[in-house]
């Protein structure tokens, strides 16, 4: 667990957990999907701000899985490239 705390993953995990709770609260019709209007009305600004990027299938709705995949892609983009094991001359 200390490695997770040192890497900042515990903060990310807590943020995603809070986002999931807010997603459920904003899901007015309880279908497991949010429209942009539901996200706005439910005060989920992260989803509102990133809605078009999260909605990769362009269906006008996003699921928690869609949100999680968006976050995962964003985290992967922010990781430094692995060091090459090849020696340079």
């Amino acid at each position: 667990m200390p490695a997770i705390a040192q890497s900042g993953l515990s903060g990310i995990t807590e943020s995603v957990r809070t986002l999931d709770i807010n997603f459920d609260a904003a899901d007015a019709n309880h279908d497991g999907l949010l429209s942009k209007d539901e996200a706005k009305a439910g005060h989920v600004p992260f989803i509102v701000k990133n809605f078009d990027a999260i909605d990769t299938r362009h269906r006008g709705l996003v699921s928690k899985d869609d949100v999680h995949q968006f976050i995962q892609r964003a985290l992967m983009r922010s990781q430094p490239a692995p060091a090459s094991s090849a020696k340079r001359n």
Side-chain angles (χ1 to χ4, degrees):
M1 194 63 131
I4 291 173
Q6 289 175 357
S7 69
L9 291 179
S10 62
I12 293 168
T13 301
E14 188 58 34
S15 293
V16 171
R17 189 173 297 128
T18 300
L19 185 59
D20 285 350
I21 291 167
N22 293 342
F23 184 106
D24 290 337
D27 185 9
N29 61 359
H30 308 290
D31 64 354
L33 301 168
L34 286 185
S35 67
K36 196 170 197 175
D37 288 339
E38 281 179 309
K40 284 179 186 176
H43 307 288
V44 192
F46 177 84
I47 293 176
V48 173
K49 178 181 175 184
N50 298 291
F51 192 89
D52 293 332
I54 296 168
D55 184 18
T56 59
R57 292 183 269 176
H58 310 290
R59 58 189 176 149
L61 300 166
V62 296
S63 67
K64 279 188 205 176
D65 285 340
D66 295 332
V67 175
H68 294 173
Q69 289 172 14
F70 172 78
I71 293 167
Q72 185 176 21
R73 287 190 306 270
L75 289 171
M76 294 302 291
R77 282 191 302 270
S78 69
Q79 294 298 310
S84 174
S85 60
K87 286 186 176 182
R88 295 182 186 207
N89 293 329

